Each structure stands twice: as structure tokens, then as C-alpha cells.
Short mmCIF file of all heavy atoms in Angstrom, two decimals:
data_model
loop_
_atom_site.label_atom_id
_atom_site.label_comp_id
_atom_site.label_asym_id
_atom_site.label_seq_id
_atom_site.Cartn_x
_atom_site.Cartn_y
_atom_site.Cartn_z
N LYS A 1 7.94 7.00 6.04
CA LYS A 1 8.37 5.67 5.67
C LYS A 1 8.00 4.70 6.79
O LYS A 1 8.47 4.84 7.91
CB LYS A 1 9.87 5.63 5.41
CG LYS A 1 10.29 6.46 4.23
CD LYS A 1 11.77 6.35 4.00
CE LYS A 1 12.13 7.16 2.78
NZ LYS A 1 13.53 7.06 2.44
N ASN A 2 7.19 3.75 6.45
CA ASN A 2 6.74 2.79 7.44
C ASN A 2 7.62 1.55 7.41
O ASN A 2 7.96 1.05 6.36
CB ASN A 2 5.31 2.38 7.16
CG ASN A 2 4.35 3.52 7.31
OD1 ASN A 2 4.67 4.65 6.98
ND2 ASN A 2 3.18 3.24 7.80
N GLU A 3 7.92 1.06 8.58
CA GLU A 3 8.63 -0.21 8.71
C GLU A 3 7.63 -1.34 8.46
O GLU A 3 6.42 -1.13 8.52
CB GLU A 3 9.24 -0.34 10.10
CG GLU A 3 10.29 0.72 10.41
CD GLU A 3 11.51 0.62 9.51
OE1 GLU A 3 11.91 -0.51 9.16
OE2 GLU A 3 12.06 1.66 9.15
N ASN A 4 8.14 -2.53 8.20
CA ASN A 4 7.25 -3.68 8.03
C ASN A 4 6.37 -3.85 9.26
O ASN A 4 6.83 -3.67 10.38
CB ASN A 4 8.05 -4.95 7.78
CG ASN A 4 8.69 -4.93 6.41
OD1 ASN A 4 8.27 -4.21 5.52
ND2 ASN A 4 9.73 -5.72 6.25
N GLN A 5 5.12 -4.17 9.01
CA GLN A 5 4.09 -4.39 10.04
C GLN A 5 3.68 -3.10 10.76
O GLN A 5 2.93 -3.15 11.73
CB GLN A 5 4.52 -5.45 11.05
CG GLN A 5 4.96 -6.75 10.43
CD GLN A 5 3.87 -7.41 9.57
OE1 GLN A 5 2.70 -7.38 9.90
NE2 GLN A 5 4.27 -7.98 8.45
N GLU A 6 4.15 -1.93 10.34
CA GLU A 6 3.78 -0.65 10.95
C GLU A 6 2.66 -0.01 10.13
O GLU A 6 2.87 0.45 9.02
CB GLU A 6 5.00 0.27 10.98
CG GLU A 6 4.74 1.60 11.66
CD GLU A 6 5.98 2.47 11.64
OE1 GLU A 6 7.08 1.96 11.95
OE2 GLU A 6 5.85 3.66 11.28
N LYS A 7 1.46 0.02 10.69
CA LYS A 7 0.29 0.52 9.98
C LYS A 7 0.32 2.03 9.83
O LYS A 7 0.81 2.74 10.71
CB LYS A 7 -0.99 0.13 10.73
CG LYS A 7 -1.23 -1.34 10.80
CD LYS A 7 -2.48 -1.65 11.59
CE LYS A 7 -2.66 -3.15 11.71
NZ LYS A 7 -3.84 -3.49 12.50
N ALA A 8 -0.22 2.50 8.71
CA ALA A 8 -0.39 3.93 8.48
C ALA A 8 -1.84 4.16 8.09
O ALA A 8 -2.43 3.38 7.34
CB ALA A 8 0.53 4.41 7.37
N VAL A 9 -2.42 5.23 8.60
CA VAL A 9 -3.80 5.58 8.27
C VAL A 9 -3.79 6.71 7.26
O VAL A 9 -3.03 7.67 7.39
CB VAL A 9 -4.57 6.00 9.54
CG1 VAL A 9 -5.99 6.41 9.20
CG2 VAL A 9 -4.58 4.86 10.55
N TRP A 10 -4.60 6.57 6.22
CA TRP A 10 -4.71 7.57 5.16
C TRP A 10 -6.16 8.03 5.08
O TRP A 10 -7.08 7.24 5.24
CB TRP A 10 -4.28 6.96 3.83
CG TRP A 10 -4.55 7.82 2.64
CD1 TRP A 10 -3.75 8.80 2.15
CD2 TRP A 10 -5.70 7.79 1.80
NE1 TRP A 10 -4.33 9.38 1.04
CE2 TRP A 10 -5.54 8.77 0.81
CE3 TRP A 10 -6.87 7.02 1.79
CZ2 TRP A 10 -6.48 9.01 -0.17
CZ3 TRP A 10 -7.81 7.26 0.81
CH2 TRP A 10 -7.61 8.25 -0.16
N SER A 11 -6.37 9.31 4.84
CA SER A 11 -7.71 9.87 4.64
C SER A 11 -7.71 10.69 3.36
O SER A 11 -6.79 11.48 3.13
CB SER A 11 -8.10 10.77 5.81
OG SER A 11 -8.17 10.03 7.00
N SER A 12 -8.74 10.53 2.56
CA SER A 12 -8.87 11.29 1.32
C SER A 12 -9.14 12.75 1.64
O SER A 12 -9.96 13.06 2.51
CB SER A 12 -10.02 10.72 0.48
OG SER A 12 -10.27 11.55 -0.63
N LYS A 13 -8.47 13.65 0.94
CA LYS A 13 -8.72 15.08 1.12
C LYS A 13 -9.98 15.50 0.39
O LYS A 13 -10.62 16.47 0.77
CB LYS A 13 -7.52 15.88 0.61
CG LYS A 13 -6.28 15.67 1.45
CD LYS A 13 -5.10 16.43 0.91
CE LYS A 13 -3.87 16.13 1.75
NZ LYS A 13 -2.68 16.77 1.21
N SER A 14 -10.35 14.76 -0.67
CA SER A 14 -11.51 15.14 -1.47
C SER A 14 -12.80 14.41 -1.07
O SER A 14 -13.89 14.86 -1.41
CB SER A 14 -11.24 14.90 -2.95
OG SER A 14 -10.98 13.53 -3.18
N ASP A 15 -12.68 13.29 -0.36
CA ASP A 15 -13.86 12.51 0.04
C ASP A 15 -13.69 12.10 1.50
O ASP A 15 -12.96 11.17 1.81
CB ASP A 15 -14.01 11.28 -0.86
CG ASP A 15 -15.26 10.47 -0.56
OD1 ASP A 15 -15.93 10.73 0.46
OD2 ASP A 15 -15.56 9.57 -1.36
N LYS A 16 -14.38 12.78 2.39
CA LYS A 16 -14.23 12.54 3.83
C LYS A 16 -14.70 11.16 4.25
O LYS A 16 -14.40 10.71 5.36
CB LYS A 16 -14.95 13.61 4.62
CG LYS A 16 -14.33 14.98 4.45
CD LYS A 16 -15.03 16.02 5.26
CE LYS A 16 -14.36 17.37 5.03
NZ LYS A 16 -14.97 18.44 5.78
N ASN A 17 -15.45 10.47 3.38
CA ASN A 17 -15.94 9.13 3.70
C ASN A 17 -15.00 8.03 3.22
O ASN A 17 -15.33 6.86 3.30
CB ASN A 17 -17.32 8.92 3.07
CG ASN A 17 -18.36 9.82 3.70
OD1 ASN A 17 -18.41 9.97 4.91
ND2 ASN A 17 -19.18 10.44 2.88
N LYS A 18 -13.81 8.40 2.73
CA LYS A 18 -12.86 7.42 2.20
C LYS A 18 -11.57 7.45 3.01
O LYS A 18 -10.90 8.47 3.10
CB LYS A 18 -12.55 7.74 0.73
CG LYS A 18 -11.76 6.69 0.02
CD LYS A 18 -11.61 7.09 -1.44
CE LYS A 18 -11.33 5.91 -2.31
NZ LYS A 18 -11.21 6.29 -3.72
N THR A 19 -11.26 6.30 3.62
CA THR A 19 -10.05 6.16 4.42
C THR A 19 -9.38 4.82 4.08
O THR A 19 -9.99 3.96 3.45
CB THR A 19 -10.36 6.19 5.93
OG1 THR A 19 -11.24 5.12 6.25
CG2 THR A 19 -10.98 7.52 6.35
N ALA A 20 -8.15 4.66 4.52
CA ALA A 20 -7.45 3.40 4.31
C ALA A 20 -6.46 3.17 5.44
O ALA A 20 -5.95 4.11 6.04
CB ALA A 20 -6.72 3.41 2.97
N ILE A 21 -6.20 1.89 5.68
CA ILE A 21 -5.13 1.47 6.58
C ILE A 21 -4.17 0.68 5.71
O ILE A 21 -4.55 -0.30 5.07
CB ILE A 21 -5.65 0.61 7.74
CG1 ILE A 21 -6.63 1.41 8.58
CG2 ILE A 21 -4.48 0.11 8.59
CD1 ILE A 21 -7.35 0.58 9.63
N ILE A 22 -2.92 1.12 5.66
CA ILE A 22 -1.91 0.50 4.81
C ILE A 22 -0.82 -0.09 5.69
O ILE A 22 -0.26 0.60 6.55
CB ILE A 22 -1.32 1.54 3.83
CG1 ILE A 22 -2.46 2.13 3.00
CG2 ILE A 22 -0.23 0.93 2.98
CD1 ILE A 22 -2.12 3.40 2.29
N THR A 23 -0.54 -1.39 5.48
CA THR A 23 0.45 -2.09 6.29
C THR A 23 1.50 -2.75 5.40
O THR A 23 1.19 -3.70 4.68
CB THR A 23 -0.23 -3.17 7.15
OG1 THR A 23 -1.31 -2.60 7.88
CG2 THR A 23 0.76 -3.80 8.12
N PRO A 24 2.73 -2.24 5.40
CA PRO A 24 3.81 -2.92 4.67
C PRO A 24 4.07 -4.28 5.32
O PRO A 24 4.06 -4.40 6.54
CB PRO A 24 5.01 -2.00 4.86
CG PRO A 24 4.45 -0.69 5.30
CD PRO A 24 3.19 -1.01 6.03
N LEU A 25 4.29 -5.30 4.49
CA LEU A 25 4.50 -6.65 5.01
C LEU A 25 5.95 -7.10 4.91
O LEU A 25 6.55 -7.48 5.91
CB LEU A 25 3.59 -7.64 4.27
CG LEU A 25 2.09 -7.31 4.35
CD1 LEU A 25 1.30 -8.24 3.46
CD2 LEU A 25 1.60 -7.35 5.78
N THR A 26 6.53 -7.07 3.71
CA THR A 26 7.91 -7.54 3.51
C THR A 26 8.61 -6.71 2.44
O THR A 26 7.97 -6.21 1.51
CB THR A 26 7.95 -9.01 3.05
OG1 THR A 26 7.17 -9.14 1.87
CG2 THR A 26 7.42 -9.95 4.10
N ASN A 27 9.91 -6.56 2.57
CA ASN A 27 10.75 -5.91 1.56
C ASN A 27 11.61 -6.98 0.90
O ASN A 27 12.01 -7.94 1.56
CB ASN A 27 11.69 -4.90 2.20
CG ASN A 27 10.97 -3.73 2.81
OD1 ASN A 27 9.79 -3.54 2.61
ND2 ASN A 27 11.69 -2.94 3.59
N TYR A 28 11.93 -6.79 -0.38
CA TYR A 28 12.80 -7.73 -1.07
C TYR A 28 13.30 -7.10 -2.36
O TYR A 28 12.83 -6.04 -2.77
CB TYR A 28 12.07 -9.05 -1.37
CG TYR A 28 10.76 -8.87 -2.07
CD1 TYR A 28 10.67 -8.90 -3.45
CD2 TYR A 28 9.59 -8.66 -1.34
CE1 TYR A 28 9.45 -8.73 -4.10
CE2 TYR A 28 8.38 -8.48 -1.97
CZ TYR A 28 8.31 -8.52 -3.35
OH TYR A 28 7.11 -8.34 -3.98
N GLU A 29 14.29 -7.74 -2.97
CA GLU A 29 14.83 -7.30 -4.26
C GLU A 29 14.25 -8.18 -5.35
O GLU A 29 14.17 -9.40 -5.19
CB GLU A 29 16.35 -7.42 -4.26
CG GLU A 29 17.06 -6.46 -3.32
CD GLU A 29 17.04 -5.02 -3.81
OE1 GLU A 29 17.22 -4.80 -5.01
OE2 GLU A 29 16.83 -4.13 -2.97
N LEU A 30 13.84 -7.58 -6.46
CA LEU A 30 13.33 -8.31 -7.61
C LEU A 30 14.00 -7.75 -8.86
O LEU A 30 13.79 -6.57 -9.18
CB LEU A 30 11.81 -8.16 -7.69
CG LEU A 30 11.10 -8.89 -8.83
CD1 LEU A 30 11.27 -10.39 -8.66
CD2 LEU A 30 9.63 -8.53 -8.85
N GLU A 31 14.84 -8.54 -9.48
CA GLU A 31 15.59 -8.10 -10.66
C GLU A 31 16.33 -6.79 -10.42
O GLU A 31 16.32 -5.87 -11.22
CB GLU A 31 14.65 -7.99 -11.85
CG GLU A 31 13.99 -9.30 -12.23
CD GLU A 31 13.00 -9.18 -13.37
OE1 GLU A 31 12.88 -8.10 -13.97
OE2 GLU A 31 12.35 -10.19 -13.66
N GLY A 32 16.95 -6.68 -9.23
CA GLY A 32 17.76 -5.51 -8.90
C GLY A 32 16.97 -4.30 -8.43
O GLY A 32 17.54 -3.23 -8.25
N THR A 33 15.67 -4.46 -8.25
CA THR A 33 14.81 -3.35 -7.84
C THR A 33 14.25 -3.62 -6.45
O THR A 33 13.88 -4.75 -6.13
CB THR A 33 13.64 -3.19 -8.83
OG1 THR A 33 14.16 -3.00 -10.14
CG2 THR A 33 12.77 -2.01 -8.47
N THR A 34 14.16 -2.58 -5.62
CA THR A 34 13.56 -2.71 -4.29
C THR A 34 12.06 -2.82 -4.42
O THR A 34 11.41 -1.99 -5.07
CB THR A 34 13.91 -1.48 -3.42
OG1 THR A 34 15.33 -1.38 -3.32
CG2 THR A 34 13.31 -1.60 -2.03
N CYS A 35 11.49 -3.87 -3.81
CA CYS A 35 10.05 -4.10 -3.87
C CYS A 35 9.51 -4.34 -2.46
O CYS A 35 10.27 -4.55 -1.52
CB CYS A 35 9.74 -5.31 -4.75
SG CYS A 35 10.26 -5.09 -6.47
N ARG A 36 8.18 -4.31 -2.36
CA ARG A 36 7.54 -4.47 -1.07
C ARG A 36 6.13 -5.01 -1.29
O ARG A 36 5.44 -4.61 -2.21
CB ARG A 36 7.49 -3.11 -0.39
CG ARG A 36 6.87 -3.06 0.96
CD ARG A 36 6.96 -1.65 1.51
NE ARG A 36 7.74 -1.71 2.72
CZ ARG A 36 7.92 -0.70 3.54
NH1 ARG A 36 7.42 0.48 3.26
NH2 ARG A 36 8.62 -0.84 4.63
N ASP A 37 5.72 -5.94 -0.42
CA ASP A 37 4.33 -6.39 -0.39
C ASP A 37 3.63 -5.61 0.72
O ASP A 37 4.24 -5.33 1.77
CB ASP A 37 4.25 -7.88 -0.08
CG ASP A 37 4.82 -8.74 -1.19
OD1 ASP A 37 4.83 -8.28 -2.35
OD2 ASP A 37 5.25 -9.87 -0.91
N PHE A 38 2.36 -5.28 0.49
CA PHE A 38 1.63 -4.60 1.55
C PHE A 38 0.15 -4.95 1.49
O PHE A 38 -0.37 -5.40 0.47
CB PHE A 38 1.83 -3.08 1.50
CG PHE A 38 1.19 -2.39 0.32
CD1 PHE A 38 -0.09 -1.86 0.41
CD2 PHE A 38 1.87 -2.25 -0.87
CE1 PHE A 38 -0.67 -1.23 -0.67
CE2 PHE A 38 1.30 -1.61 -1.96
CZ PHE A 38 0.03 -1.10 -1.85
N LYS A 39 -0.52 -4.75 2.63
CA LYS A 39 -1.96 -4.96 2.75
C LYS A 39 -2.62 -3.60 2.88
O LYS A 39 -2.13 -2.73 3.59
CB LYS A 39 -2.27 -5.82 3.99
CG LYS A 39 -3.76 -6.03 4.22
CD LYS A 39 -4.03 -7.03 5.32
CE LYS A 39 -3.66 -6.47 6.66
NZ LYS A 39 -4.09 -7.31 7.79
N LYS A 40 -3.73 -3.44 2.16
CA LYS A 40 -4.46 -2.17 2.20
C LYS A 40 -5.92 -2.48 2.47
O LYS A 40 -6.53 -3.30 1.79
CB LYS A 40 -4.30 -1.47 0.85
CG LYS A 40 -5.09 -0.21 0.69
CD LYS A 40 -4.77 0.51 -0.60
CE LYS A 40 -5.08 -0.32 -1.80
NZ LYS A 40 -4.92 0.37 -3.08
N ILE A 41 -6.48 -1.83 3.48
CA ILE A 41 -7.91 -1.94 3.77
C ILE A 41 -8.51 -0.57 3.50
O ILE A 41 -8.20 0.40 4.20
CB ILE A 41 -8.16 -2.37 5.23
CG1 ILE A 41 -7.50 -3.72 5.51
CG2 ILE A 41 -9.67 -2.43 5.49
CD1 ILE A 41 -7.51 -4.12 6.96
N VAL A 42 -9.31 -0.49 2.46
CA VAL A 42 -9.95 0.77 2.07
C VAL A 42 -11.38 0.76 2.54
O VAL A 42 -12.11 -0.22 2.33
CB VAL A 42 -9.90 0.97 0.53
CG1 VAL A 42 -10.59 2.27 0.14
CG2 VAL A 42 -8.46 0.96 0.05
N LYS A 43 -11.80 1.85 3.17
CA LYS A 43 -13.16 1.98 3.66
C LYS A 43 -13.81 3.19 3.00
O LYS A 43 -13.30 4.30 3.08
CB LYS A 43 -13.16 2.15 5.19
CG LYS A 43 -14.53 2.15 5.80
CD LYS A 43 -14.42 2.18 7.32
CE LYS A 43 -15.77 2.16 7.97
NZ LYS A 43 -15.66 2.23 9.44
N VAL A 44 -14.91 2.94 2.29
CA VAL A 44 -15.69 4.00 1.67
C VAL A 44 -17.08 3.93 2.28
O VAL A 44 -17.75 2.90 2.18
CB VAL A 44 -15.76 3.85 0.14
CG1 VAL A 44 -16.58 4.97 -0.47
CG2 VAL A 44 -14.36 3.82 -0.46
N ASN A 45 -17.49 5.03 2.89
CA ASN A 45 -18.72 5.05 3.70
C ASN A 45 -18.58 3.96 4.74
O ASN A 45 -17.69 4.01 5.55
CB ASN A 45 -19.96 4.92 2.81
CG ASN A 45 -20.09 6.10 1.87
OD1 ASN A 45 -19.92 7.24 2.27
ND2 ASN A 45 -20.37 5.83 0.61
N GLU A 46 -19.38 2.94 4.74
CA GLU A 46 -19.25 1.87 5.74
C GLU A 46 -18.80 0.55 5.13
O GLU A 46 -18.81 -0.48 5.80
CB GLU A 46 -20.59 1.68 6.47
CG GLU A 46 -21.00 2.89 7.30
CD GLU A 46 -19.96 3.25 8.36
OE1 GLU A 46 -19.45 2.34 9.05
OE2 GLU A 46 -19.67 4.45 8.51
N LYS A 47 -18.38 0.55 3.87
CA LYS A 47 -17.96 -0.67 3.20
C LYS A 47 -16.43 -0.75 3.15
O LYS A 47 -15.77 0.18 2.72
CB LYS A 47 -18.51 -0.70 1.77
CG LYS A 47 -18.21 -1.97 1.03
CD LYS A 47 -18.80 -1.95 -0.36
CE LYS A 47 -18.41 -3.21 -1.11
NZ LYS A 47 -18.88 -3.19 -2.49
N SER A 48 -15.88 -1.90 3.57
CA SER A 48 -14.44 -2.10 3.57
C SER A 48 -14.04 -3.14 2.53
O SER A 48 -14.73 -4.13 2.34
CB SER A 48 -13.96 -2.58 4.94
OG SER A 48 -14.13 -1.58 5.90
N VAL A 49 -12.89 -2.89 1.88
CA VAL A 49 -12.32 -3.82 0.91
C VAL A 49 -10.85 -4.01 1.26
O VAL A 49 -10.13 -3.03 1.46
CB VAL A 49 -12.46 -3.27 -0.53
CG1 VAL A 49 -11.77 -4.20 -1.52
CG2 VAL A 49 -13.91 -3.07 -0.90
N GLU A 50 -10.41 -5.27 1.33
CA GLU A 50 -9.01 -5.56 1.63
C GLU A 50 -8.30 -6.04 0.37
O GLU A 50 -8.83 -6.85 -0.38
CB GLU A 50 -8.92 -6.65 2.70
CG GLU A 50 -7.51 -6.95 3.13
CD GLU A 50 -7.44 -7.90 4.30
OE1 GLU A 50 -8.30 -7.82 5.20
OE2 GLU A 50 -6.50 -8.72 4.32
N GLU A 51 -7.10 -5.50 0.14
CA GLU A 51 -6.29 -5.89 -1.02
C GLU A 51 -4.87 -6.17 -0.57
O GLU A 51 -4.37 -5.54 0.35
CB GLU A 51 -6.23 -4.76 -2.04
CG GLU A 51 -7.53 -4.40 -2.68
CD GLU A 51 -7.41 -3.25 -3.67
OE1 GLU A 51 -6.42 -2.48 -3.59
OE2 GLU A 51 -8.31 -3.11 -4.51
N LEU A 52 -4.23 -7.11 -1.26
CA LEU A 52 -2.80 -7.34 -1.09
C LEU A 52 -2.14 -6.89 -2.38
O LEU A 52 -2.60 -7.22 -3.47
CB LEU A 52 -2.51 -8.82 -0.84
CG LEU A 52 -3.06 -9.39 0.45
CD1 LEU A 52 -2.81 -10.90 0.50
CD2 LEU A 52 -2.44 -8.72 1.65
N SER A 53 -1.07 -6.11 -2.27
CA SER A 53 -0.40 -5.57 -3.45
C SER A 53 1.10 -5.74 -3.37
O SER A 53 1.67 -5.84 -2.28
CB SER A 53 -0.72 -4.08 -3.62
OG SER A 53 -2.08 -3.88 -3.86
N LYS A 54 1.71 -5.75 -4.54
CA LYS A 54 3.17 -5.78 -4.68
C LYS A 54 3.55 -4.48 -5.38
O LYS A 54 2.99 -4.13 -6.42
CB LYS A 54 3.60 -6.96 -5.54
CG LYS A 54 5.09 -7.03 -5.80
CD LYS A 54 5.44 -8.11 -6.80
CE LYS A 54 5.07 -9.46 -6.23
NZ LYS A 54 5.48 -10.58 -7.12
N VAL A 55 4.51 -3.74 -4.80
CA VAL A 55 4.99 -2.50 -5.40
C VAL A 55 6.50 -2.56 -5.52
O VAL A 55 7.17 -3.24 -4.75
CB VAL A 55 4.59 -1.25 -4.56
CG1 VAL A 55 3.08 -1.08 -4.53
CG2 VAL A 55 5.13 -1.31 -3.16
N CYS A 56 7.02 -1.88 -6.53
CA CYS A 56 8.47 -1.78 -6.71
C CYS A 56 8.82 -0.32 -7.01
O CYS A 56 7.99 0.43 -7.53
CB CYS A 56 8.94 -2.66 -7.87
SG CYS A 56 8.74 -4.43 -7.57
N ARG A 57 10.04 0.07 -6.70
CA ARG A 57 10.50 1.43 -6.97
C ARG A 57 10.68 1.63 -8.47
O ARG A 57 11.23 0.76 -9.16
CB ARG A 57 11.82 1.71 -6.26
CG ARG A 57 11.73 1.71 -4.75
CD ARG A 57 11.26 3.02 -4.24
NE ARG A 57 11.37 3.07 -2.79
CZ ARG A 57 10.79 3.98 -2.05
NH1 ARG A 57 10.08 4.93 -2.63
NH2 ARG A 57 10.92 3.97 -0.76
N ASP A 58 10.24 2.78 -8.98
CA ASP A 58 10.49 3.09 -10.39
C ASP A 58 11.80 3.87 -10.52
O ASP A 58 12.52 4.05 -9.53
CB ASP A 58 9.30 3.83 -11.03
CG ASP A 58 9.06 5.21 -10.42
OD1 ASP A 58 9.95 5.75 -9.71
OD2 ASP A 58 7.98 5.77 -10.67
N GLU A 59 12.11 4.34 -11.72
CA GLU A 59 13.38 5.04 -11.96
C GLU A 59 13.51 6.31 -11.14
O GLU A 59 14.61 6.76 -10.84
CB GLU A 59 13.50 5.41 -13.45
CG GLU A 59 13.39 4.25 -14.40
CD GLU A 59 11.95 3.85 -14.69
OE1 GLU A 59 11.03 4.71 -14.68
OE2 GLU A 59 11.71 2.66 -14.90
N SER A 60 12.38 6.91 -10.76
CA SER A 60 12.39 8.14 -9.97
C SER A 60 12.40 7.88 -8.47
O SER A 60 12.43 8.81 -7.67
CB SER A 60 11.15 8.99 -10.31
OG SER A 60 11.14 9.30 -11.68
N GLY A 61 12.32 6.61 -8.07
CA GLY A 61 12.31 6.27 -6.65
C GLY A 61 10.92 6.20 -6.05
O GLY A 61 10.78 5.98 -4.85
N ASN A 62 9.89 6.36 -6.86
CA ASN A 62 8.51 6.28 -6.38
C ASN A 62 8.04 4.82 -6.43
O ASN A 62 8.51 4.04 -7.24
CB ASN A 62 7.58 7.13 -7.25
CG ASN A 62 7.93 8.59 -7.17
OD1 ASN A 62 8.09 9.14 -6.09
ND2 ASN A 62 8.08 9.22 -8.31
N TRP A 63 7.09 4.48 -5.55
CA TRP A 63 6.52 3.14 -5.55
C TRP A 63 5.54 3.02 -6.72
O TRP A 63 4.71 3.89 -6.95
CB TRP A 63 5.78 2.84 -4.25
CG TRP A 63 6.66 2.73 -3.06
CD1 TRP A 63 6.72 3.59 -2.00
CD2 TRP A 63 7.60 1.69 -2.77
NE1 TRP A 63 7.64 3.15 -1.09
CE2 TRP A 63 8.19 1.99 -1.54
CE3 TRP A 63 8.00 0.54 -3.43
CZ2 TRP A 63 9.16 1.17 -0.94
CZ3 TRP A 63 8.97 -0.27 -2.85
CH2 TRP A 63 9.53 0.04 -1.62
N LYS A 64 5.63 1.91 -7.45
CA LYS A 64 4.72 1.64 -8.57
C LYS A 64 4.07 0.27 -8.31
O LYS A 64 4.75 -0.71 -8.02
CB LYS A 64 5.51 1.58 -9.88
CG LYS A 64 4.65 1.26 -11.08
CD LYS A 64 5.48 1.24 -12.34
CE LYS A 64 4.63 0.84 -13.53
NZ LYS A 64 5.42 0.75 -14.75
N VAL A 65 2.73 0.23 -8.39
CA VAL A 65 2.01 -1.03 -8.15
C VAL A 65 2.30 -1.98 -9.31
O VAL A 65 2.10 -1.65 -10.48
CB VAL A 65 0.49 -0.78 -8.00
CG1 VAL A 65 -0.25 -2.10 -7.85
CG2 VAL A 65 0.20 0.13 -6.82
N ILE A 66 2.76 -3.19 -8.97
CA ILE A 66 3.09 -4.22 -9.95
C ILE A 66 1.94 -5.24 -10.04
O ILE A 66 1.61 -5.71 -11.11
CB ILE A 66 4.39 -4.96 -9.56
CG1 ILE A 66 5.54 -3.96 -9.42
CG2 ILE A 66 4.73 -6.05 -10.55
CD1 ILE A 66 5.84 -3.15 -10.65
N GLU A 67 1.33 -5.54 -8.88
CA GLU A 67 0.28 -6.54 -8.84
C GLU A 67 -0.63 -6.28 -7.65
O GLU A 67 -0.16 -5.89 -6.58
CB GLU A 67 0.92 -7.94 -8.73
CG GLU A 67 -0.05 -9.07 -8.66
CD GLU A 67 0.66 -10.43 -8.53
OE1 GLU A 67 1.79 -10.48 -8.05
OE2 GLU A 67 0.03 -11.41 -8.95
N THR A 68 -1.93 -6.50 -7.83
CA THR A 68 -2.89 -6.41 -6.73
C THR A 68 -3.76 -7.65 -6.75
O THR A 68 -4.26 -8.05 -7.79
CB THR A 68 -3.77 -5.14 -6.88
OG1 THR A 68 -2.94 -3.98 -6.80
CG2 THR A 68 -4.81 -5.07 -5.77
N LEU A 69 -3.90 -8.26 -5.59
CA LEU A 69 -4.72 -9.47 -5.45
C LEU A 69 -6.01 -9.16 -4.72
O LEU A 69 -6.08 -8.32 -3.90
CB LEU A 69 -3.95 -10.55 -4.68
CG LEU A 69 -2.59 -10.89 -5.25
CD1 LEU A 69 -1.86 -11.81 -4.31
CD2 LEU A 69 -2.73 -11.53 -6.61
#
């Protein structure tokens, strides 16, 4: 569990050329559900793509992507 602004590095187990840096930005409540905004920088081979996403907890407690910009 990462705190806000605490980066985590992810590496694909199936594709060694695919990595990501995920940074949680803010936590908040939306219609009684815990949500979080985060920044994700995905690198495949030498190409990087940055996305901003909003996720909220589902009924099982897992994060579910609600919106990606």
C-alpha cells in the first residue's frame, strides 16, 4: 500500500520490456466509496506513456479504474 506521492515500480512478468512507475496522488470519498487519483508512467521498450487515472474500491475491496485521462 503506497502513501500519496510514494512511487512504486512495477515490472511485467510476461514482457521484460514493459515497466511502470505508479504514483498515488490523492485519496477521497465519492458517494461513500474510497477513491484515489494516481499517475502512471508506462514504458514499453523505449517508449513512455503517462496517464492520470481515478480508481475506486469495488465491493470486494479491489481498486477499479473509473476514469483515465
